[in-house]
Amino acid sequence: MTGSAGAGYLGVDIGGTNVRAALVGAAGSILLLERWPAEIHLGREHFLGRLAGNLAALRERGAATGIETAAVGLGVPGLIAKTGLVHSSVNLEPLVGLNLKDAVSAETGLPTVVMNDANAAAFGESRYGAGRSYASLLMFTLGTGVGSGLILDGALWTGIDGVAAEYGHATVEPAGLLCPCGNCGCLEQYASATALTRAAITSVQHQGGMLADIPAGELSAETIAAVARRGDTLARSLFEEAGRYLGIVAATVANLLNLEAIIVGGGVAASFDLLDAAIRREVDRRAFAIPAARLVIRPGELGDDAGILGAAALARELSGNAPK
Ligand SMILES: [Zn+2]
């Protein structure tokens, strides 16, 4: 089979709250999109049944327009083995221990690949988004947590066990905040949307400013960003602090891998302009001049679609259909 105009690939972005699935054309355009609640509290069988039903429906709707589905790719939050086994997933506990690749492949009869959701997003940006012109990059997805995905010479690097590039759990404070992963002082505890909100709630008690006018229940990365853009010193400093921690890690990456780019995606990336200068300053301060000068730091371009596009692209490439 070739990557002809008639071939399509199912890309699935599984989240703790919602699942989004798309039929993606060979050149990376989203042809059909479906979204439904994960309802993981109803258990594994319910989840898989709904997934199978929606994938079959997308496939049928594609076939009705002459698009033949050739493979499936799924991004899942958690540690995913190369075999497709879900080692761990905080948000999708009922899937732990399941080989999702085997389950979906058996249901659809299609070549299937399962990957970590941040890896899927990195692959999507690498193929169709902000990473298109770079062979090697690291992408951070800043949301509830901090995910990351590493592309080396055009290929997704997943490590010997499939669980590489969990760089949201790089230690930035040796005796810092306890992380659910068991380590102390992970980047995720300082640069996620959750971390920004927590830092705002703590510091507003002492420092006041415009953030003090917002009820604690309404503080979020978005509302803090809006206040920062109105010039509030505290709100700006919270983003600068998150950027500083990202920059510490980015400098290490620059020295270790001499990458071309770091892409910042996820919900907090809408505030890239508030993070950018602090990341850059830290990289220039800490990394060697040559890798620091080489490293481009830029926001993602695909937004919420990075994961489904990346999952579909990896499915396409692993099923033998090379990119154009
Ligand atoms: Zn951690």
Side-chain angles (χ1 to χ4, degrees):
M1 192 181 292
T2 64
S4 68
Y9 303 87
L10 287 167
V12 187
D13 185 10
I14 299 176
T17 310
N18 289 303
V19 183
R20 295 169 79 240
L23 184 63
V24 178
S29 55
I30 291 179
L31 307 173
L32 298 167
L33 182 67
E34 198 65 63
R35 178 193 173 107
W36 64 97
E39 296 177 334
I40 197 66
H41 61 283
L42 297 178
R44 183 191 284 188
E45 293 312 313
H46 174 85
F47 177 88
L48 290 176
R50 190 119 194 231
L51 176 65
N54 280 301
L55 293 186
L58 279 170
R59 202 172 165 184
E60 274 175 33
R61 285 168 61 199
T65 62
I67 305 293
E68 210 54 50
T69 301
V72 189
L74 304 102
V76 185
L79 294 182
I80 316 299
K82 278 184 196 262
T83 58
L85 175 74
V86 180
H87 274 305
S88 69
S89 178
V90 173
N91 297 322
L92 298 161
E93 186 64 34
L95 300 188
V96 172
L98 171 74
N99 189 310
L100 187 59
K101 175 181 168 175
D102 290 349
V104 172
S105 174
E107 184 66 38
T108 60
L110 293 170
T112 302
V113 59
V114 180
M115 68 209 82
N116 168 269
D117 59 346
N119 285 353
F123 202 68
E125 290 287 352
S126 157
R127 288 299 184 267
Y128 305 120
R132 279 191 310 279
S133 32
Y134 312 113
S136 300
L137 61 88
L138 180 75
M139 178 174 177
F140 284 114
T141 47
L142 310 181
T144 312
V146 175
S148 66
L150 181 62
I151 310 293
L152 294 178
D153 287 337
L156 183 65
W157 179 267
T158 58
I160 185 75
D161 295 310
V163 300
E166 286 294 333
Y167 223 42
H169 300 276
T171 301
V172 293
E173 286 290 353
L177 296 164
L178 183 64
C179 183
C181 77
N183 185 29
C184 283
C186 291
L187 175 65
E188 179 167 296
Q189 298 306 314
Y190 299 89
S192 61
T194 316
L196 266 169
T197 308
R198 183 177 53 214
I201 291 169
T202 308
S203 34
V204 79
Q205 293 166 2
H206 313 291
Q207 298 175 50
M210 291 186 208
L211 287 175
D213 300 334
I214 302 175
E218 289 172 27
L219 279 173
S220 67
E222 291 78 25
T223 55
I224 299 164
V227 169
R229 291 211 177 83
R230 280 160 53 204
D232 182 71
T233 310
L234 173 59
R236 295 192 71 86
S237 75
L238 293 170
F239 275 96
E240 279 166 19
E241 191 66 350
R244 187 175 73 83
Y245 282 112
L246 279 165
I248 290 171
V249 167
T252 303
V253 171
N255 277 351
L256 177 66
L257 296 170
N258 189 192
L259 298 176
E260 294 157 84
I262 285 185
I263 311 286
V264 182
V268 181
S271 311
F272 180 77
D273 58 312
L274 298 168
L275 297 164
D276 184 26
I279 301 175
R280 185 80 253 174
R281 187 170 57 241
E282 219 55 42
V283 168
D284 291 343
R285 232 181 232 167
R286 293 174 186 271
F288 282 109
I290 292 173
R294 168 64 65 181
L295 189 71
V296 173
I297 301 160
R298 52 182 299 181
E301 291 175 2
L302 303 177
D304 284 349
D305 292 338
I308 44 178
L309 287 173
L314 196 64
R316 182 192 64 200
E317 293 179 29
L318 293 183
S319 64
N321 296 315
K324 291 185 174 166

